[in-house]
Protein backbone atom coordinates (compact mmCIF):
# COMPACT_ATOMS: atom_id res chain seq x y z
CA UNK A 1 0.00 0.00 0.00
CA UNK A 2 1.33 3.45 -0.91
CA UNK A 3 1.75 5.93 1.90
CA UNK A 4 -0.95 8.24 0.46
CA UNK A 5 -3.45 5.32 0.25
CA UNK A 6 -2.58 4.30 3.77
CA UNK A 7 -3.17 7.84 5.03
CA UNK A 8 -6.54 8.02 3.24
CA UNK A 9 -7.67 4.64 4.58
CA UNK A 10 -6.56 5.51 8.09
CA UNK A 11 -8.32 8.87 7.93
CA UNK A 12 -11.49 7.20 6.65
CA UNK A 13 -11.34 4.52 9.39
CA UNK A 14 -10.82 7.18 12.01
CA UNK A 15 -13.81 9.24 10.85
CA UNK A 16 -15.94 6.05 10.65
CA UNK A 17 -14.98 5.24 14.22
CA UNK A 18 -15.75 8.80 15.35
CA UNK A 19 -19.15 8.56 13.63
CA UNK A 20 -19.84 5.22 15.33
CA UNK A 21 -18.87 6.62 18.67
CA UNK A 22 -21.34 9.51 18.20
CA UNK A 23 -24.18 7.08 17.55
CA UNK A 24 -23.27 4.64 20.30
CA UNK A 25 -25.76 4.89 23.18
CA UNK A 26 -24.06 6.23 26.27
CA UNK A 27 -24.84 3.22 28.43
CA UNK A 28 -22.76 3.27 31.57
CA UNK A 29 -23.17 -0.49 32.08
CA UNK A 30 -21.86 -1.29 28.61
CA UNK A 31 -18.74 0.77 29.23
CA UNK A 32 -18.21 -0.86 32.63
CA UNK A 33 -18.52 -4.30 31.07
CA UNK A 34 -15.85 -3.44 28.52
CA UNK A 35 -13.45 -2.54 31.31
CA UNK A 36 -13.55 -5.96 32.95
CA UNK A 37 -12.82 -5.78 36.65
CA UNK A 38 -11.18 -2.39 36.24
CA UNK A 39 -9.39 -1.56 39.44
CA UNK A 40 -10.59 -4.71 41.14
CA UNK A 41 -7.72 -7.10 41.54
CA UNK A 42 -8.39 -10.57 42.91
CA UNK A 43 -5.67 -12.59 44.65
CA UNK A 44 -6.17 -16.30 45.31
CA UNK A 45 -4.02 -18.64 47.40
CA UNK A 46 -3.39 -22.02 45.80
CA UNK A 47 -1.50 -24.81 47.62
CA UNK A 48 -0.01 -27.83 45.85
CA UNK A 49 1.01 -31.35 46.87
CA UNK A 50 4.40 -30.93 45.17
CA UNK A 51 7.75 -29.43 46.18
CA UNK A 52 8.42 -25.93 44.78
CA UNK A 53 8.73 -25.90 40.96
CA UNK A 54 8.61 -29.74 40.88
CA UNK A 55 9.27 -30.72 37.24
CA UNK A 56 6.25 -30.88 34.93
CA UNK A 57 3.53 -30.99 37.64
CA UNK A 58 4.82 -28.08 39.74
CA UNK A 59 6.13 -26.02 36.84
CA UNK A 60 2.81 -26.76 35.08
CA UNK A 61 0.78 -25.09 37.81
CA UNK A 62 3.29 -22.21 38.01
CA UNK A 63 2.67 -21.61 34.29
CA UNK A 64 -1.11 -21.86 34.84
CA UNK A 65 -0.98 -19.08 37.46
CA UNK A 66 1.15 -16.93 35.14
CA UNK A 67 -1.35 -17.40 32.30
CA UNK A 68 -4.29 -16.41 34.53
CA UNK A 69 -2.41 -13.20 35.35
CA UNK A 70 -1.58 -12.49 31.69
CA UNK A 71 -5.02 -13.31 30.29
CA UNK A 72 -6.77 -11.18 32.91
CA UNK A 73 -4.57 -8.16 32.28
CA UNK A 74 -3.15 -8.54 35.77
CA UNK A 75 -6.53 -8.56 37.56
CA UNK A 76 -6.35 -12.22 38.61
CA UNK A 77 -3.33 -13.22 40.64
CA UNK A 78 -3.03 -16.82 41.78
CA UNK A 79 -0.26 -17.26 44.34
CA UNK A 80 1.12 -20.81 44.21
CA UNK A 81 2.37 -22.29 47.48
CA UNK A 82 4.35 -25.56 47.31
CA UNK A 83 3.58 -28.39 49.71
CA UNK A 84 3.96 -27.80 53.46
CA UNK A 85 4.21 -24.01 53.20
CA UNK A 86 0.57 -23.18 53.94
CA UNK A 87 -0.70 -26.73 54.54
CA UNK A 88 0.80 -30.25 54.39
CA UNK A 89 0.78 -31.92 50.95
CA UNK A 90 -2.17 -34.20 51.63
CA UNK A 91 -4.29 -31.69 53.54
CA UNK A 92 -4.86 -29.35 50.59
CA UNK A 93 -8.31 -30.88 49.94
CA UNK A 94 -9.54 -30.24 53.51
CA UNK A 95 -7.95 -26.79 53.69
CA UNK A 96 -9.69 -25.68 50.45
CA UNK A 97 -12.98 -27.26 51.52
CA UNK A 98 -12.79 -25.29 54.79
CA UNK A 99 -11.81 -22.07 52.91
CA UNK A 100 -8.46 -21.78 54.73
CA UNK A 101 -7.01 -21.50 51.21
CA UNK A 102 -8.81 -20.78 47.91
CA UNK A 103 -7.60 -23.62 45.70
CA UNK A 104 -5.26 -26.59 45.35
CA UNK A 105 -3.34 -28.55 42.71
CA UNK A 106 -2.97 -32.26 43.39
CA UNK A 107 -3.81 -35.80 42.23
CA UNK A 108 -7.43 -36.95 42.45
CA UNK A 109 -6.73 -40.46 43.70
CA UNK A 110 -5.32 -39.12 46.97
CA UNK A 111 -8.88 -38.44 48.17
CA UNK A 112 -10.44 -41.89 47.95
CA UNK A 113 -10.71 -41.83 51.76
CA UNK A 114 -13.19 -38.93 51.37
CA UNK A 115 -15.28 -40.86 48.85
CA UNK A 116 -14.17 -44.13 47.15
CA UNK A 117 -15.66 -42.84 43.87
CA UNK A 118 -12.94 -40.17 43.64
CA UNK A 119 -10.38 -42.86 42.76
CA UNK A 120 -12.18 -43.39 39.41
CA UNK A 121 -11.89 -39.68 38.51
CA UNK A 122 -8.16 -40.05 39.16
CA UNK A 123 -7.75 -42.92 36.68
CA UNK A 124 -8.38 -46.65 36.40
CA UNK A 125 -5.88 -49.53 36.26
CA UNK A 126 -6.08 -51.23 32.85
CA UNK A 127 -8.54 -48.46 31.91
CA UNK A 128 -8.80 -45.27 29.90
CA UNK A 129 -5.78 -43.33 28.64
CA UNK A 130 -5.34 -39.62 29.43
CA UNK A 131 -7.06 -38.50 26.23
CA UNK A 132 -9.91 -40.96 26.79
CA UNK A 133 -10.30 -39.89 30.44
CA UNK A 134 -10.61 -36.23 29.44
CA UNK A 135 -13.16 -37.19 26.76
CA UNK A 136 -15.24 -39.10 29.33
CA UNK A 137 -15.05 -36.15 31.73
CA UNK A 138 -16.05 -33.54 29.16
CA UNK A 139 -18.49 -35.42 26.95
CA UNK A 140 -19.40 -38.66 28.73
CA UNK A 141 -20.77 -37.28 32.01
CA UNK A 142 -17.65 -37.58 34.21
CA UNK A 143 -17.36 -33.86 34.97
CA UNK A 144 -21.02 -33.59 36.06
CA UNK A 145 -20.61 -36.45 38.56
CA UNK A 146 -17.24 -35.15 39.77
CA UNK A 147 -18.66 -31.65 40.39
CA UNK A 148 -21.75 -33.04 42.08
CA UNK A 149 -19.67 -35.16 44.47
CA UNK A 150 -17.00 -32.51 45.14
CA UNK A 151 -19.88 -30.03 45.65
CA UNK A 152 -20.67 -31.84 48.90
CA UNK A 153 -17.25 -30.68 50.12
CA UNK A 154 -17.92 -27.16 48.81
CA UNK A 155 -15.32 -27.70 46.06
CA UNK A 156 -15.33 -26.96 42.32
CA UNK A 157 -12.86 -29.19 40.41
CA UNK A 158 -11.19 -28.72 37.03
CA UNK A 159 -8.82 -31.13 35.31
CA UNK A 160 -5.38 -29.68 36.03
CA UNK A 161 -3.05 -31.87 33.97
CA UNK A 162 -2.57 -35.51 33.23
CA UNK A 163 0.48 -37.76 33.23
CA UNK A 164 -0.10 -39.91 30.14
CA UNK A 165 0.77 -43.60 30.56
CA UNK A 166 2.86 -44.38 33.65
CA UNK A 167 5.39 -47.20 34.00
CA UNK A 168 4.68 -50.33 36.08
CA UNK A 169 7.59 -49.73 38.41
CA UNK A 170 11.12 -50.70 39.47
CA UNK A 171 11.78 -54.19 40.86
CA UNK A 172 14.89 -55.51 42.53
CA UNK A 173 14.24 -59.00 41.13
CA UNK A 174 12.79 -60.10 37.81
CA UNK A 175 9.12 -61.13 37.84
CA UNK A 176 8.91 -64.29 35.74
CA UNK A 177 5.63 -65.64 37.03
CA UNK A 178 2.65 -64.68 39.19
CA UNK A 179 4.22 -66.66 42.03
CA UNK A 180 7.22 -64.24 42.06
CA UNK A 181 4.90 -61.48 43.36
CA UNK A 182 3.95 -63.35 46.53
CA UNK A 183 5.03 -61.46 49.65
CA UNK A 184 6.76 -58.62 47.78
CA UNK A 185 6.60 -55.25 49.45
CA UNK A 186 5.84 -52.58 46.87
CA UNK A 187 5.15 -48.87 47.11
CA UNK A 188 1.99 -48.56 44.99
CA UNK A 189 -1.05 -46.40 45.81
CA UNK A 190 -4.67 -46.36 44.66
CA UNK A 191 -6.71 -49.02 42.89
CA UNK A 192 -3.48 -50.46 41.44
CA UNK A 193 -2.36 -51.18 45.00
CA UNK A 194 -5.68 -52.91 45.75
CA UNK A 195 -5.24 -55.15 42.71
CA UNK A 196 -1.63 -55.95 43.64
CA UNK A 197 -2.82 -56.91 47.12
CA UNK A 198 -5.09 -59.59 45.61
CA UNK A 199 -2.09 -60.86 43.62
CA UNK A 200 -0.13 -61.44 46.83
CA UNK A 201 1.81 -58.17 47.02
CA UNK A 202 2.02 -56.18 50.24
CA UNK A 203 1.31 -52.62 49.00
CA UNK A 204 2.81 -49.84 51.10
CA UNK A 205 2.51 -46.06 51.00
CA UNK A 206 5.66 -43.99 51.36
CA UNK A 207 6.25 -40.27 50.86
CA UNK A 208 8.36 -39.46 47.80
CA UNK A 209 11.39 -38.52 49.90
CA UNK A 210 11.62 -41.96 51.54
CA UNK A 211 11.16 -44.28 48.56
CA UNK A 212 14.75 -44.46 47.32
CA UNK A 213 16.24 -45.25 50.73
CA UNK A 214 13.59 -47.93 51.40
CA UNK A 215 14.33 -49.52 48.03
CA UNK A 216 18.09 -49.31 48.45
CA UNK A 217 17.99 -50.85 51.94
CA UNK A 218 15.53 -53.57 50.89
CA UNK A 219 12.74 -52.34 53.20
CA UNK A 220 10.65 -52.51 50.01
CA UNK A 221 11.26 -54.78 46.99
CA UNK A 222 9.68 -52.58 44.35
CA UNK A 223 8.17 -49.17 43.69
CA UNK A 224 6.15 -47.47 41.04
CA UNK A 225 6.47 -43.74 40.47
CA UNK A 226 5.59 -42.08 37.15
CA UNK A 227 7.70 -42.59 34.02
CA UNK A 228 11.31 -42.19 32.82
CA UNK A 229 11.31 -38.36 33.02
CA UNK A 230 10.53 -38.19 36.75
CA UNK A 231 11.78 -41.67 37.76
CA UNK A 232 15.31 -41.03 36.52
CA UNK A 233 15.58 -38.09 38.95
CA UNK A 234 14.84 -40.46 41.85
CA UNK A 235 17.81 -42.73 41.12
CA UNK A 236 15.74 -45.94 41.29
CA UNK A 237 17.86 -47.57 38.57
CA UNK A 238 20.76 -47.94 41.05
CA UNK A 239 18.67 -49.96 43.54
CA UNK A 240 16.27 -51.90 41.30
CA UNK A 241 17.38 -52.65 37.73
CA UNK A 242 14.15 -54.22 36.37
CA UNK A 243 11.89 -51.53 34.96
CA UNK A 244 8.40 -52.78 34.09
CA UNK A 245 5.97 -51.40 31.53
CA UNK A 246 2.74 -49.94 32.86
CA UNK A 247 -0.81 -51.12 33.41
CA UNK A 248 -2.07 -49.53 36.64
CA UNK A 249 -2.00 -45.82 35.72
CA UNK A 250 -2.69 -45.47 31.98
CA UNK A 251 -3.87 -41.85 32.27
CA UNK A 252 -3.88 -40.35 35.75
CA UNK A 253 -5.72 -37.07 36.15
CA UNK A 254 -4.47 -34.13 38.19
CA UNK A 255 -6.81 -31.44 39.41
CA UNK A 256 -6.93 -27.71 40.03
CA UNK A 257 -9.80 -27.36 42.46
CA UNK A 258 -11.38 -24.24 43.97
CA UNK A 259 -13.38 -23.54 47.08
CA UNK A 260 -16.89 -23.41 45.56
CA UNK A 261 -18.10 -20.35 47.50
CA UNK A 262 -15.00 -18.50 46.30
CA UNK A 263 -15.43 -19.81 42.72
CA UNK A 264 -19.09 -18.71 42.59
CA UNK A 265 -18.08 -15.20 43.65
CA UNK A 266 -15.51 -14.83 40.84
CA UNK A 267 -16.59 -12.80 37.82
CA UNK A 268 -17.65 -14.81 34.72
CA UNK A 269 -14.52 -13.43 33.03
CA UNK A 270 -12.19 -14.74 35.74
CA UNK A 271 -13.99 -18.11 35.75
CA UNK A 272 -13.55 -18.31 31.95
CA UNK A 273 -9.86 -17.37 32.19
CA UNK A 274 -9.21 -20.05 34.84
CA UNK A 275 -11.09 -22.64 32.77
CA UNK A 276 -9.14 -21.83 29.60
CA UNK A 277 -5.80 -21.75 31.47
CA UNK A 278 -6.55 -25.13 33.11
CA UNK A 279 -7.22 -26.67 29.68
CA UNK A 280 -3.94 -25.22 28.43
CA UNK A 281 -2.14 -26.64 31.48
CA UNK A 282 -3.66 -30.07 30.82
CA UNK A 283 -2.65 -30.25 27.18
CA UNK A 284 0.82 -28.77 27.84
CA UNK A 285 1.49 -31.22 30.66
CA UNK A 286 0.51 -34.23 28.55
CA UNK A 287 2.83 -33.09 25.75
CA UNK A 288 5.67 -32.31 28.16
CA UNK A 289 5.37 -35.74 29.78
CA UNK A 290 5.41 -37.43 26.36
CA UNK A 291 8.47 -35.52 25.15
CA UNK A 292 10.48 -35.79 28.37
CA UNK A 293 9.62 -39.48 28.92
CA UNK A 294 10.73 -40.27 25.36
CA UNK A 295 13.98 -38.36 25.89
CA UNK A 296 14.71 -39.77 29.36
CA UNK A 297 14.08 -43.33 28.16
CA UNK A 298 17.03 -42.90 25.79
CA UNK A 299 19.22 -41.70 28.64
CA UNK A 300 18.54 -44.47 31.22
CA UNK A 301 21.69 -46.28 32.43
CA UNK A 302 22.56 -49.37 30.35
CA UNK A 303 22.13 -51.53 33.46
CA UNK A 304 18.36 -50.96 33.34
CA UNK A 305 16.37 -53.87 31.90
CA UNK A 306 12.97 -52.92 30.48
CA UNK A 307 10.49 -55.77 30.95
CA UNK A 308 6.77 -56.46 30.58
CA UNK A 309 4.90 -58.37 33.28
CA UNK A 310 4.09 -62.01 32.42
CA UNK A 311 0.73 -62.58 30.69
CA UNK A 312 -0.53 -64.77 33.54
CA UNK A 313 0.00 -61.84 35.92
CA UNK A 314 -1.93 -59.41 33.72
CA UNK A 315 -4.74 -61.97 33.27
CA UNK A 316 -4.91 -62.34 37.06
CA UNK A 317 -4.81 -58.53 37.44
CA UNK A 318 -7.90 -58.18 35.22
CA UNK A 319 -9.82 -60.67 37.37
CA UNK A 320 -8.61 -59.01 40.58
CA UNK A 321 -9.58 -55.55 39.29
CA UNK A 322 -13.14 -56.75 38.59
CA UNK A 323 -13.36 -58.04 42.14
CA UNK A 324 -12.05 -54.76 43.57
CA UNK A 325 -14.59 -52.77 41.50
CA UNK A 326 -17.49 -55.05 42.49
CA UNK A 327 -16.56 -54.86 46.18
CA UNK A 328 -16.28 -51.05 46.08
CA UNK A 329 -19.64 -50.80 44.24
CA UNK A 330 -21.32 -52.81 47.01
CA UNK A 331 -19.85 -50.53 49.66
CA UNK A 332 -20.47 -47.16 47.95
CA UNK A 333 -23.42 -46.05 45.84
CA UNK A 334 -21.38 -43.11 44.52
CA UNK A 335 -18.67 -45.53 43.35
CA UNK A 336 -21.34 -47.60 41.60
CA UNK A 337 -22.79 -44.53 39.84
CA UNK A 338 -19.39 -43.25 38.66
CA UNK A 339 -18.35 -46.73 37.51
CA UNK A 340 -21.59 -47.06 35.52
CA UNK A 341 -20.92 -43.77 33.71
CA UNK A 342 -17.26 -44.73 33.16
CA UNK A 343 -18.15 -48.18 31.81
CA UNK A 344 -20.79 -46.72 29.47
CA UNK A 345 -18.05 -44.54 27.93
CA UNK A 346 -15.62 -47.48 27.74
CA UNK A 347 -18.26 -49.45 25.81
CA UNK A 348 -19.03 -46.53 23.49
CA UNK A 349 -15.35 -45.73 22.90
CA UNK A 350 -13.93 -49.21 22.27
CA UNK A 351 -15.30 -50.10 18.79
CA UNK A 352 -14.18 -46.71 17.43
CA UNK A 353 -10.80 -46.88 19.17
CA UNK A 354 -10.25 -50.43 17.84
CA UNK A 355 -10.69 -49.38 14.20
CA UNK A 356 -8.96 -45.99 14.58
CA UNK A 357 -6.09 -45.53 17.07
CA UNK A 358 -5.40 -49.16 17.91
CA UNK A 359 -5.63 -50.28 14.28
CA UNK A 360 -3.46 -47.43 13.08
CA UNK A 361 -0.75 -48.02 15.70
CA UNK A 362 -0.59 -51.66 14.59
CA UNK A 363 -0.27 -50.63 10.95
CA UNK A 364 2.33 -48.01 11.79
CA UNK A 365 4.36 -50.45 13.89
CA1 LIG B 1 2.29 -43.43 39.88
Amino acid sequence: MKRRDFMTTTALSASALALNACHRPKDKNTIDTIHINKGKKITLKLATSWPAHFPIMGTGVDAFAKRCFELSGGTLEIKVFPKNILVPALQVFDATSAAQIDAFHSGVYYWKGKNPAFSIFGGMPLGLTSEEMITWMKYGGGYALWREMYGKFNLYPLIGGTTGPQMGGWFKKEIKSLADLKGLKMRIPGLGGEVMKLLGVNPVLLPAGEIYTALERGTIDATEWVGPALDSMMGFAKAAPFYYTGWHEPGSILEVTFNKTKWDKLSPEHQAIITVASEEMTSNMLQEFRYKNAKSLQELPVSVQIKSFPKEMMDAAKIALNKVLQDESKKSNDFKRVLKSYNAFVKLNKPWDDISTKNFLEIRA
Side-chain angles (χ1 to χ4, degrees):
M1 192 187 281
K2 285 178 191 164
R3 184 175 148 79
R4 180 187 290 263
D5 293 343
F6 173 76
M7 293 292 282
T8 314
T9 313
T10 309
L12 273 173
S13 304
S15 47
L17 275 173
L19 203 64
N20 253 337
C22 289
H23 288 92
R24 194 193 294 150
K26 284 194 171 143
D27 182 344
K28 195 173 174 295
N29 289 336
T30 312
I31 293 164
D32 281 351
T33 312
I34 292 165
H35 295 104
I36 300 165
N37 297 308
K38 192 184 173 192
K40 194 184 171 202
K41 186 178 164 184
I42 301 278
T43 303
L44 300 176
K45 285 181 190 166
L46 180 150
T48 82
S49 295
W50 334 116
H53 319 302
F54 188 70
I56 311 180
M57 280 120 96
T59 53
V61 73
D62 290 344
F64 159 79
K66 186 165 173 273
R67 286 296 272 162
C68 287
F69 190 81
E70 287 170 354
L71 291 169
S72 68
T75 64
L76 177 61
E77 184 183 26
I78 297 182
K79 286 190 172 172
V80 177
F81 295 88
K83 69 169 186 177
N84 304 338
I85 301 293
L86 291 182
V87 278
L90 298 186
Q91 280 176 32
V92 294
F93 183 104
D94 286 338
T96 307
S97 177
Q100 289 161 5
I101 51 172
D102 303 307
F104 69 90
H105 188 247
S106 191
V108 190
Y109 67 58
Y110 288 132
W111 322 121
K112 69 170 186 162
K114 305 283 174 196
N115 183 337
F118 296 169
S119 57
I120 304 177
F121 300 124
M124 177 77 78
L126 299 160
L128 298 174
T129 63
S130 286
E131 194 221 340
E132 292 168 333
M133 277 296 286
I134 294 164
T135 309
W136 167 58
M137 289 281 198
K138 287 166 85 167
Y139 299 100
Y143 248 138
L145 284 164
W146 193 17
R147 290 192 174 142
E148 176 201 315
M149 291 175 189
Y150 263 40
K152 290 174 186 163
F153 296 87
N154 199 30
L155 294 171
Y156 180 85
L158 291 152
I159 299 173
T162 177
T163 62
Q166 299 198 15
M167 285 293 279
W170 300 83
F171 286 71
K172 289 174 89 79
K173 287 186 184 148
E174 190 177 352
I175 303 300
K176 290 179 180 160
S177 69
L178 186 55
D180 289 341
L181 288 179
K182 295 274 185 285
L184 285 192
K185 266 185 150 181
M186 178 175 187
R187 183 260 176 208
I188 177 169
L191 289 168
E194 302 285 324
V195 170
M196 278 298 216
K197 201 173 177 178
L198 292 181
L199 302 186
V201 170
N202 181 8
V204 292
L205 286 180
L206 283 176
E210 293 173 24
I211 306 173
Y212 176 77
T213 311
L215 196 63
E216 205 246 329
R217 290 184 184 165
T219 318
I220 57 172
D221 307 292
T223 186
E224 73 83 52
W225 187 234
V226 185
L230 296 182
D231 293 11
S232 54
M233 292 164 43
M234 302 284 276
F236 296 143
K238 280 179 275 174
F242 298 99
Y243 194 23
Y244 278 88
T245 56
W247 63 277
H248 70 298
E249 288 192 77
S252 289
I253 295 292
L254 306 178
E255 64 185 315
V256 60
T257 291
F258 290 78
N259 174 277
K260 193 168 180 305
T261 308
K262 195 85 186 190
W263 173 267
D264 290 343
K265 281 183 188 164
L266 291 174
S267 67
E269 293 81 8
H270 281 169
Q271 289 178 347
I273 285 163
I274 290 170
T275 305
V276 165
S278 72
E279 297 221 356
E280 185 186 64
M281 163 162 62
T282 300
S283 87
N284 282 350
M285 210 182 283
L286 185 59
Q287 291 146 20
E288 193 178 356
F289 264 117
R290 178 183 280 273
Y291 184 78
K292 290 187 174 168
N293 278 331
K295 200 160 178 291
S296 297
L297 178 66
Q298 300 298 315
E299 294 159 1
L300 288 176
V302 286
S303 57
V304 174
Q305 298 189 46
I306 309 265
K307 300 274 179 188
S308 285
F309 290 117
K311 187 178 178 297
E312 68 161 343
M313 177 186 154
M314 285 299 103
D315 290 344
K318 284 173 192 167
I319 295 165
L321 176 65
N322 272 329
K323 186 173 170 5
V324 169
L325 298 180
Q326 278 176 18
D327 289 351
E328 292 288 349
S329 296
K330 279 178 203 154
K331 283 186 267 177
S332 159
N333 195 48
D334 278 353
F335 191 94
K336 194 175 166 183
R337 284 177 65 212
V338 178
L339 186 63
K340 192 179 167 198
S341 165
Y342 180 94
N343 282 339
F345 176 72
V346 170
K347 197 176 167 195
L348 176 79
N349 180 57
K350 191 176 183 304
W352 167 238
D353 192 64
D354 282 350
I355 63 158
S356 59
T357 312
K358 181 170 174 277
N359 190 51
F360 171 69
L361 289 177
E362 279 165 12
I363 294 168
R364 195 174 71 174

